Amino acid sequence: MNNYKKISSHGAIGIPVAMRREIGIEKGDPMELSLEGGAITIRPYTPRCIFCGTTEQADYKLIGRTVCRECSRMVAELTKGGGEE
């Protein structure tokens, strides 16, 4: 599905409601932008673990950063023991 849109004076582009519904994005959802070969790609932002990079169960926060469940367990064990692995 292609659409022609103009960029506003503030640099914004509206995403048509049909496209938003098709991929399940709503007002206020975070989006990820990337530049690939001269094209700008916009996709829903998927949080990744700062340690291992997985998106699976990456729903914990550590000092404002996303951490997966497994890495959060390892961090908790390391902090209990007071040493490094």
Side-chain angles (χ1 to χ4, degrees):
M1 179 184 310
N2 291 324
N3 281 297
Y4 172 80
K5 292 288 186 173
K6 289 186 177 181
I7 297 176
S8 75
S9 61
H10 297 285
I13 297 175
I15 301 172
V17 69
M19 287 182 163
R20 295 193 316 263
R21 285 182 181 150
E22 187 170 321
I23 63 172
I25 59 173
E26 298 179 11
K27 179 182 176 182
D29 284 354
M31 303 299 292
E32 181 178 4
L33 284 78
S34 58
L35 183 59
E36 301 166 0
I40 298 171
T41 303
I42 303 171
R43 67 180 132 255
Y45 172 69
T46 304
R48 296 183 182 280
C49 177
I50 60 167
F51 296 112
C52 68
T54 187
T55 58
E56 296 295 318
Q57 299 180 331
D59 50 9
Y60 289 88
K61 293 289 182 184
L62 177 66
I63 313 171
R65 304 292 185 152
T66 303
V67 180
C68 72
R69 291 182 186 182
E70 184 60 32
C71 288
S72 68
R73 283 189 199 112
M74 287 193 288
V75 168
E77 287 174 19
L78 288 171
T79 56
K80 284 180 189 175
E84 293 185 22
E85 193 172 281

Coordinates of all heavy atoms in Angstrom, one line a residue:
M1 N 0.8 -1.2 0.0 CA 0.0 0.0 0.0 C 0.9 1.2 0.0 O 1.7 1.4 0.9 CB -0.9 0.0 1.3 CG -1.8 1.1 1.4 SD -2.8 1.2 3.0 CE -3.5 -0.4 3.0
N2 N 0.8 2.1 -1.0 CA 1.6 3.3 -1.1 C 0.6 4.5 -1.0 O -0.5 4.5 -1.6 CB 2.3 3.4 -2.4 CG 3.5 2.4 -2.5 OD1 4.1 2.1 -1.5 ND2 3.7 1.8 -3.7
N3 N 1.1 5.6 -0.4 CA 0.4 6.8 -0.3 C 1.3 8.0 -0.5 O 2.5 7.9 -0.2 CB -0.3 7.0 1.1 CG -1.6 6.2 1.2 OD1 -2.5 6.4 0.5 ND2 -1.6 5.2 2.1
Y4 N 0.8 9.1 -1.0 CA 1.6 10.3 -1.2 C 1.3 11.2 -0.1 O 0.1 11.5 0.1 CB 1.3 10.9 -2.6 CG 1.9 12.2 -2.8 CD1 3.2 12.4 -3.2 CD2 1.1 13.4 -2.6 CE1 3.8 13.6 -3.4 CE2 1.7 14.6 -2.8 CZ 3.0 14.7 -3.2 OH 3.6 16.0 -3.4
K5 N 2.3 11.7 0.7 CA 2.0 12.6 1.8 C 3.1 13.7 1.7 O 4.2 13.4 1.3 CB 2.2 11.9 3.1 CG 1.1 10.9 3.4 CD -0.2 11.7 3.7 CE -1.3 10.8 4.2 NZ -2.5 11.5 4.6
K6 N 2.7 14.9 2.1 CA 3.7 16.0 2.2 C 4.1 16.1 3.7 O 3.4 15.9 4.6 CB 3.0 17.3 1.8 CG 2.7 17.4 0.3 CD 2.2 18.8 -0.1 CE 2.0 18.9 -1.6 NZ 1.5 20.2 -2.0
I7 N 5.4 16.6 3.8 CA 5.9 16.8 5.2 C 5.4 18.2 5.6 O 5.5 19.2 4.8 CB 7.5 16.8 5.1 CG1 7.9 15.4 4.7 CG2 8.0 17.2 6.5 CD1 9.4 15.3 4.6
S8 N 5.0 18.3 6.9 CA 4.5 19.6 7.4 C 5.6 20.5 7.7 O 6.8 20.1 7.6 CB 3.7 19.3 8.7 OG 4.6 19.1 9.8
S9 N 5.3 21.7 8.0 CA 6.4 22.7 8.3 C 7.2 22.3 9.6 O 8.3 22.8 9.8 CB 5.8 24.1 8.5 OG 4.8 24.1 9.6
H10 N 6.6 21.4 10.4 CA 7.3 20.9 11.6 C 8.0 19.6 11.3 O 8.6 19.0 12.2 CB 6.3 20.8 12.7 CG 5.6 22.0 13.1 ND1 6.3 23.0 13.9 CD2 4.4 22.5 12.9 CE1 5.5 24.0 14.1 NE2 4.3 23.8 13.5
G11 N 8.0 19.1 10.1 CA 8.7 17.9 9.7 C 7.9 16.6 10.0 O 8.4 15.5 9.9
A12 N 6.6 16.8 10.2 CA 5.7 15.6 10.5 C 5.1 15.1 9.3 O 4.8 15.8 8.3 CB 4.6 16.0 11.5
I13 N 4.8 13.8 9.3 CA 4.1 13.1 8.2 C 2.9 12.3 8.9 O 3.2 11.6 9.8 CB 5.0 12.2 7.4 CG1 6.1 12.9 6.7 CG2 4.1 11.4 6.4 CD1 7.1 12.0 6.0
G14 N 1.7 12.5 8.4 CA 0.6 11.7 8.9 C 0.6 10.3 8.3 O 0.7 10.2 7.1
I15 N 0.4 9.3 9.1 CA 0.2 8.0 8.6 C -1.3 7.7 8.5 O -2.0 7.8 9.5 CB 0.9 7.0 9.6 CG1 2.4 7.3 9.8 CG2 0.7 5.5 9.1 CD1 3.1 6.5 10.8
P16 N -1.7 7.3 7.3 CA -3.2 7.0 7.1 C -3.7 6.0 8.1 O -3.1 5.0 8.5 CB -3.3 6.5 5.7 CG -2.0 7.1 5.0 CD -1.0 7.1 6.1
V17 N -5.0 6.2 8.5 CA -5.6 5.4 9.5 C -5.7 3.9 9.1 O -5.5 3.0 9.9 CB -7.0 5.9 9.9 CG1 -8.0 5.8 8.8 CG2 -7.5 5.2 11.2
A18 N -5.9 3.7 7.8 CA -5.9 2.3 7.3 C -4.6 1.6 7.5 O -4.6 0.4 7.9 CB -6.3 2.3 5.8
M19 N -3.5 2.3 7.3 CA -2.2 1.7 7.5 C -1.9 1.4 9.0 O -1.4 0.4 9.4 CB -1.1 2.6 7.0 CG -1.0 2.6 5.5 SD 0.4 3.7 5.0 CE 0.7 3.2 3.4
R20 N -2.3 2.4 9.8 CA -2.1 2.2 11.3 C -2.9 1.1 11.8 O -2.4 0.3 12.6 CB -2.5 3.5 12.0 CG -1.7 4.7 11.7 CD -1.9 5.9 12.7 NE -3.2 6.2 13.0 CZ -3.9 7.1 12.3 NH1 -3.4 7.9 11.4 NH2 -5.2 7.4 12.7
R21 N -4.2 0.9 11.3 CA -5.0 -0.2 11.8 C -4.4 -1.5 11.3 O -4.5 -2.5 12.0 CB -6.4 0.0 11.2 CG -7.2 1.0 12.0 CD -8.6 1.1 11.4 NE -9.3 2.2 12.2 CZ -10.3 2.9 11.6 NH1 -10.7 2.7 10.4 NH2 -10.9 3.8 12.4
E22 N -3.9 -1.6 10.1 CA -3.4 -2.8 9.5 C -2.2 -3.4 10.3 O -2.1 -4.6 10.5 CB -2.9 -2.6 8.1 CG -2.5 -3.9 7.4 CD -2.3 -3.8 5.9 OE1 -3.1 -3.0 5.3 OE2 -1.4 -4.4 5.4
I23 N -1.4 -2.5 10.9 CA -0.3 -3.0 11.7 C -0.5 -2.8 13.2 O 0.4 -3.1 14.0 CB 1.1 -2.4 11.2 CG1 1.2 -0.9 11.4 CG2 1.4 -2.8 9.8 CD1 2.5 -0.3 11.1
G24 N -1.6 -2.3 13.6 CA -2.0 -2.2 15.0 C -1.3 -1.1 15.8 O -1.0 -1.3 16.9
I25 N -1.0 0.0 15.1 CA -0.4 1.1 15.9 C -1.5 2.2 16.2 O -2.4 2.3 15.5 CB 0.8 1.8 15.2 CG1 0.4 2.4 13.8 CG2 2.0 0.8 15.0 CD1 1.5 3.2 13.2
E26 N -1.3 2.8 17.4 CA -2.2 3.8 17.9 C -1.5 5.1 18.2 O -0.3 5.1 18.4 CB -3.0 3.2 19.1 CG -3.8 2.0 18.8 CD -4.5 1.4 20.0 OE1 -4.5 2.1 21.1 OE2 -5.0 0.3 20.0
K27 N -2.3 6.1 18.5 CA -1.8 7.4 18.9 C -0.9 7.2 20.1 O -1.3 6.6 21.0 CB -2.9 8.3 19.2 CG -2.5 9.7 19.6 CD -3.7 10.6 20.0 CE -3.3 11.9 20.5 NZ -4.4 12.7 20.9
G28 N 0.3 7.8 20.0 CA 1.2 7.8 21.2 C 2.2 6.6 21.2 O 3.1 6.5 22.0
D29 N 2.0 5.6 20.3 CA 2.9 4.4 20.2 C 4.3 4.9 19.8 O 4.4 5.7 18.9 CB 2.4 3.4 19.2 CG 1.2 2.6 19.7 OD1 0.9 2.7 20.9 OD2 0.7 1.8 19.0
P30 N 5.3 4.4 20.4 CA 6.7 4.7 19.9 C 7.0 4.1 18.6 O 6.6 2.9 18.3 CB 7.6 4.1 21.0 CG 6.8 3.0 21.6 CD 5.3 3.4 21.5
M31 N 7.7 4.8 17.7 CA 8.1 4.3 16.4 C 9.6 4.4 16.3 O 10.2 5.3 16.9 CB 7.4 5.2 15.3 CG 5.8 5.2 15.4 SD 5.1 3.6 15.3 CE 5.4 3.2 13.6
E32 N 10.1 3.5 15.5 CA 11.5 3.5 15.2 C 11.8 4.0 13.8 O 11.1 3.5 12.8 CB 12.0 2.1 15.4 CG 13.5 1.9 15.2 CD 14.0 0.4 15.4 OE1 13.1 -0.4 15.7 OE2 15.2 0.2 15.3
L33 N 12.7 4.9 13.6 CA 13.0 5.4 12.3 C 14.4 5.0 11.9 O 15.3 5.1 12.8 CB 12.9 6.9 12.2 CG 11.5 7.5 12.1 CD1 10.8 7.5 13.5 CD2 11.6 8.9 11.5
S34 N 14.7 4.6 10.7 CA 16.0 4.2 10.3 C 16.2 4.7 8.8 O 15.3 4.8 8.1 CB 16.3 2.7 10.4 OG 15.4 2.0 9.6
L35 N 17.5 5.0 8.5 CA 17.8 5.4 7.2 C 18.6 4.2 6.5 O 19.6 3.8 7.0 CB 18.7 6.6 7.2 CG 19.2 7.3 5.9 CD1 17.9 7.7 5.1 CD2 20.0 8.5 6.2
E36 N 18.0 3.7 5.4 CA 18.6 2.5 4.8 C 18.7 2.8 3.3 O 17.6 2.8 2.6 CB 17.7 1.3 5.1 CG 17.6 1.0 6.5 CD 16.5 -0.1 6.8 OE1 15.8 -0.5 5.9 OE2 16.3 -0.4 8.0
G37 N 19.9 3.0 2.8 CA 20.1 3.1 1.3 C 19.3 4.3 0.8 O 18.7 4.2 -0.3
G38 N 19.2 5.4 1.5 CA 18.5 6.6 1.0 C 17.0 6.6 1.3 O 16.3 7.5 0.9
A39 N 16.5 5.6 1.9 CA 15.1 5.5 2.2 C 14.9 5.5 3.7 O 15.6 4.9 4.5 CB 14.5 4.2 1.6
I40 N 13.9 6.2 4.1 CA 13.5 6.3 5.6 C 12.5 5.2 5.8 O 11.5 5.1 5.2 CB 13.0 7.7 6.0 CG1 14.0 8.7 5.7 CG2 12.5 7.6 7.4 CD1 13.5 10.2 5.9
T41 N 12.8 4.3 6.8 CA 11.9 3.3 7.2 C 11.3 3.6 8.6 O 12.0 4.0 9.5 CB 12.6 1.9 7.2 OG1 13.2 1.7 6.0 CG2 11.7 0.8 7.6
I42 N 10.0 3.5 8.7 CA 9.3 3.7 10.0 C 8.6 2.4 10.4 O 7.9 1.8 9.6 CB 8.3 4.8 9.8 CG1 8.9 6.1 9.3 CG2 7.6 5.1 11.2 CD1 7.9 7.2 9.0
R43 N 8.9 2.0 11.6 CA 8.2 0.7 12.1 C 8.0 0.9 13.6 O 8.6 1.7 14.2 CB 9.1 -0.5 11.8 CG 10.4 -0.6 12.5 CD 11.2 -1.8 12.1 NE 12.6 -1.4 11.9 CZ 13.1 -1.4 10.7 NH1 12.4 -1.7 9.6 NH2 14.4 -1.0 10.5
P44 N 7.0 0.1 14.1 CA 6.8 0.2 15.5 C 8.0 -0.2 16.3 O 8.8 -1.1 15.9 CB 5.7 -0.9 15.7 CG 5.0 -1.1 14.4 CD 6.1 -0.8 13.4
Y45 N 8.3 0.6 17.3 CA 9.5 0.3 18.2 C 9.3 -0.9 19.0 O 8.3 -1.1 19.7 CB 9.7 1.5 19.1 CG 10.8 1.3 20.1 CD1 12.2 1.2 19.7 CD2 10.6 1.2 21.4 CE1 13.2 0.9 20.6 CE2 11.6 1.0 22.3 CZ 12.9 0.8 21.9 OH 13.9 0.6 22.8
T46 N 10.2 -1.8 19.0 CA 10.2 -3.0 19.8 C 11.4 -2.9 20.8 O 12.5 -2.9 20.4 CB 10.4 -4.3 19.0 OG1 9.3 -4.3 18.0 CG2 10.3 -5.5 19.8
P47 N 11.1 -2.8 22.1 CA 12.2 -2.7 23.1 C 13.1 -4.0 23.0 O 12.6 -5.1 22.8 CB 11.4 -2.7 24.4 CG 10.0 -2.3 24.1 CD 9.8 -2.8 22.7
R48 N 14.4 -3.7 23.2 CA 15.4 -4.8 23.2 C 16.2 -4.7 24.4 O 16.4 -3.6 25.0 CB 16.3 -4.6 22.0 CG 15.7 -4.8 20.6 CD 16.7 -4.7 19.5 NE 16.1 -4.8 18.2 CZ 15.7 -6.0 17.7 NH1 15.9 -7.1 18.3 NH2 15.1 -6.0 16.5
C49 N 16.6 -5.9 24.9 CA 17.4 -5.9 26.1 C 18.8 -5.3 25.8 O 19.4 -5.5 24.8 CB 17.6 -7.4 26.5 SG 18.7 -7.6 27.9
I50 N 19.2 -4.4 26.8 CA 20.5 -3.7 26.6 C 21.7 -4.6 26.7 O 22.8 -4.3 26.3 CB 20.7 -2.5 27.5 CG1 20.6 -3.0 29.0 CG2 19.6 -1.5 27.3 CD1 21.1 -1.9 30.0
F51 N 21.5 -5.8 27.3 CA 22.6 -6.7 27.5 C 22.7 -7.8 26.4 O 23.8 -7.9 25.8 CB 22.5 -7.5 28.8 CG 22.6 -6.5 30.0 CD1 21.5 -6.3 30.8 CD2 23.8 -5.9 30.3 CE1 21.6 -5.4 31.9 CE2 23.9 -5.0 31.4 CZ 22.8 -4.8 32.2
C52 N 21.6 -8.5 26.1 CA 21.7 -9.6 25.1 C 21.0 -9.2 23.8 O 21.2 -10.0 22.8 CB 21.1 -10.8 25.7 SG 19.3 -10.8 25.9
G53 N 20.2 -8.2 23.7 CA 19.6 -7.7 22.5 C 18.3 -8.4 22.1 O 17.7 -8.1 21.1
T54 N 17.8 -9.3 22.9 CA 16.6 -10.0 22.6 C 15.4 -9.1 22.8 O 15.4 -8.1 23.5 CB 16.4 -11.3 23.5 OG1 15.3 -12.0 23.0 CG2 16.2 -10.9 25.0
T55 N 14.3 -9.4 22.1 CA 13.0 -8.7 22.3 C 12.1 -9.6 23.1 O 11.0 -9.1 23.5 CB 12.4 -8.4 20.9 OG1 12.2 -9.6 20.2 CG2 13.2 -7.4 20.1
E56 N 12.4 -10.8 23.3 CA 11.6 -11.7 24.1 C 11.6 -11.3 25.6 O 12.7 -11.2 26.2 CB 12.1 -13.2 24.0 CG 12.0 -13.7 22.6 CD 10.6 -13.9 22.1 OE1 9.7 -14.3 22.8 OE2 10.4 -13.5 20.9
Q57 N 10.4 -11.1 26.1 CA 10.2 -10.8 27.5 C 11.1 -9.6 28.0 O 11.6 -9.5 29.1 CB 10.5 -12.0 28.4 CG 9.6 -13.1 28.1 CD 9.8 -14.3 29.0 OE1 10.9 -14.6 29.4 NE2 8.8 -15.1 29.3
A58 N 11.3 -8.7 27.0 CA 12.1 -7.5 27.4 C 11.2 -6.4 28.0 O 10.8 -5.4 27.3 CB 12.8 -6.9 26.1
D59 N 10.8 -6.7 29.2 CA 9.7 -5.8 29.8 C 10.1 -5.3 31.2 O 9.3 -4.8 31.9 CB 8.4 -6.5 29.9 CG 8.5 -7.9 30.5 OD1 9.6 -8.3 31.0 OD2 7.5 -8.7 30.4
Y60 N 11.4 -5.4 31.5 CA 11.9 -4.9 32.8 C 12.7 -3.6 32.5 O 13.3 -3.4 31.5 CB 12.8 -5.9 33.5 CG 12.1 -7.1 34.0 CD1 11.8 -8.2 33.3 CD2 11.6 -7.0 35.4 CE1 11.1 -9.3 33.8 CE2 10.9 -8.1 35.9 CZ 10.7 -9.2 35.1 OH 10.0 -10.3 35.6
K61 N 12.8 -2.7 33.5 CA 13.5 -1.5 33.4 C 14.6 -1.5 34.4 O 14.4 -1.8 35.6 CB 12.7 -0.2 33.5 CG 11.6 -0.1 32.4 CD 12.3 0.4 31.2 CE 11.3 0.6 30.1 NZ 11.9 0.9 28.8
L62 N 15.8 -1.1 34.0 CA 17.0 -1.0 34.9 C 17.6 0.4 34.6 O 18.2 0.6 33.5 CB 18.0 -2.1 34.7 CG 19.2 -2.1 35.5 CD1 18.9 -2.3 37.0 CD2 20.2 -3.1 35.0
I63 N 17.5 1.3 35.5 CA 18.0 2.7 35.3 C 17.5 3.2 34.0 O 18.2 3.8 33.2 CB 19.5 2.8 35.5 CG1 20.0 2.0 36.7 CG2 20.0 4.2 35.6 CD1 21.5 1.8 36.8
G64 N 16.2 3.1 33.7 CA 15.6 3.6 32.5 C 15.9 2.9 31.2 O 15.5 3.3 30.2
R65 N 16.6 1.7 31.3 CA 16.9 0.9 30.1 C 16.1 -0.4 30.2 O 15.8 -0.9 31.2 CB 18.4 0.6 30.1 CG 19.3 1.8 30.1 CD 19.1 2.6 28.8 NE 20.1 3.7 28.8 CZ 20.6 4.2 27.8 NH1 20.2 3.8 26.6 NH2 21.4 5.2 27.8
T66 N 15.8 -0.9 29.0 CA 15.1 -2.2 28.9 C 16.0 -3.4 29.1 O 17.1 -3.4 28.5 CB 14.4 -2.3 27.5 OG1 13.6 -1.1 27.3 CG2 13.6 -3.5 27.4
V67 N 15.5 -4.3 29.9 CA 16.3 -5.5 30.2 C 15.3 -6.7 30.1 O 14.2 -6.6 30.6 CB 16.9 -5.5 31.6 CG1 17.7 -6.7 32.0 CG2 17.8 -4.3 31.8
C68 N 15.7 -7.8 29.6 CA 14.9 -9.0 29.5 C 14.9 -9.7 30.8 O 15.7 -9.4 31.7 CB 15.3 -10.0 28.4 SG 16.9 -10.9 28.7
R69 N 13.9 -10.6 31.0 CA 13.8 -11.3 32.3 C 15.0 -12.1 32.7 O 15.5 -12.1 33.8 CB 12.6 -12.3 32.2 CG 11.3 -11.5 32.2 CD 10.1 -12.4 32.2 NE 8.9 -11.6 32.0 CZ 7.7 -12.1 32.0 NH1 7.5 -13.4 32.1 NH2 6.7 -11.3 31.8
E70 N 15.6 -12.8 31.7 CA 16.8 -13.6 32.0 C 18.0 -12.7 32.5 O 18.6 -13.0 33.5 CB 17.2 -14.5 30.8 CG 18.4 -15.4 31.0 CD 18.1 -16.4 32.2 OE1 17.0 -16.8 32.3 OE2 19.1 -16.8 32.8
C71 N 18.2 -11.7 31.7 CA 19.3 -10.8 32.1 C 19.0 -10.1 33.4 O 20.0 -9.9 34.2 CB 19.6 -9.8 31.0 SG 20.4 -10.5 29.6
S72 N 17.8 -9.8 33.7 CA 17.5 -9.1 35.0 C 17.7 -10.1 36.1 O 18.2 -9.7 37.2 CB 16.0 -8.6 35.0 OG 15.1 -9.7 35.0
R73 N 17.5 -11.4 35.9 CA 17.8 -12.4 37.0 C 19.3 -12.4 37.2 O 19.7 -12.5 38.3 CB 17.3 -13.8 36.5 CG 15.8 -13.9 36.7 CD 15.4 -15.4 36.5 NE 14.0 -15.5 36.2 CZ 13.4 -15.8 35.0 NH1 14.2 -16.1 34.0 NH2 12.1 -15.8 34.8
M74 N 20.1 -12.4 36.1 CA 21.5 -12.5 36.3 C 22.0 -11.2 37.0 O 22.9 -11.4 37.8 CB 22.2 -12.6 34.9 CG 22.0 -14.0 34.3 SD 23.1 -14.3 32.9 CE 22.3 -13.3 31.6
V75 N 21.5 -10.1 36.7 CA 21.9 -8.8 37.3 C 21.6 -8.9 38.8 O 22.4 -8.6 39.7 CB 21.2 -7.6 36.7 CG1 21.4 -6.4 37.6 CG2 21.8 -7.3 35.3
A76 N 20.4 -9.4 39.2 CA 20.0 -9.6 40.6 C 20.9 -10.5 41.3 O 21.4 -10.3 42.4 CB 18.6 -10.1 40.7
E77 N 21.3 -11.7 40.6 CA 22.2 -12.6 41.3 C 23.6 -12.0 41.5 O 24.2 -12.2 42.5 CB 22.3 -13.9 40.4 CG 21.1 -14.7 40.4 CD 21.2 -15.9 39.5 OE1 22.3 -16.3 39.0 OE2 20.1 -16.4 39.1
L78 N 24.1 -11.3 40.5 CA 25.4 -10.6 40.6 C 25.4 -9.6 41.7 O 26.4 -9.5 42.5 CB 25.8 -10.0 39.3 CG 26.2 -10.9 38.2 CD1 26.4 -10.2 36.9 CD2 27.5 -11.7 38.5
T79 N 24.3 -8.8 41.8 CA 24.3 -7.8 42.9 C 24.1 -8.4 44.3 O 24.7 -7.8 45.3 CB 23.2 -6.8 42.6 OG1 21.9 -7.4 42.5 CG2 23.5 -6.0 41.4
K80 N 23.5 -9.5 44.4 CA 23.4 -10.2 45.7 C 24.8 -10.7 46.1 O 25.1 -10.6 47.3 CB 22.4 -11.4 45.6 CG 21.0 -11.0 45.6 CD 20.1 -12.3 45.5 CE 18.7 -11.9 45.3 NZ 17.9 -13.1 45.1
G81 N 25.5 -11.3 45.2 CA 26.8 -11.9 45.5 C 27.9 -10.8 45.6 O 29.0 -11.1 46.1
G82 N 27.7 -9.6 45.0 CA 28.7 -8.6 45.1 C 29.9 -8.8 44.2 O 30.9 -8.1 44.3
G83 N 29.8 -9.7 43.2 CA 30.9 -9.9 42.4 C 30.6 -9.9 40.9 O 29.4 -9.7 40.6
E84 N 31.5 -10.2 40.1 CA 31.3 -10.3 38.6 C 31.3 -11.7 38.1 O 32.0 -12.6 38.7 CB 32.4 -9.5 37.9 CG 32.3 -8.0 38.2 CD 33.3 -7.2 37.3 OE1 33.7 -7.7 36.3 OE2 33.6 -6.1 37.7
E85 N 30.6 -11.9 37.0 CA 30.6 -13.3 36.5 C 31.6 -13.4 35.4 O 32.0 -12.5 34.7 CB 29.2 -13.5 35.9 CG 29.0 -15.0 35.5 CD 27.5 -15.2 35.1 OE1 26.7 -15.3 36.0 OE2 27.3 -15.3 33.9

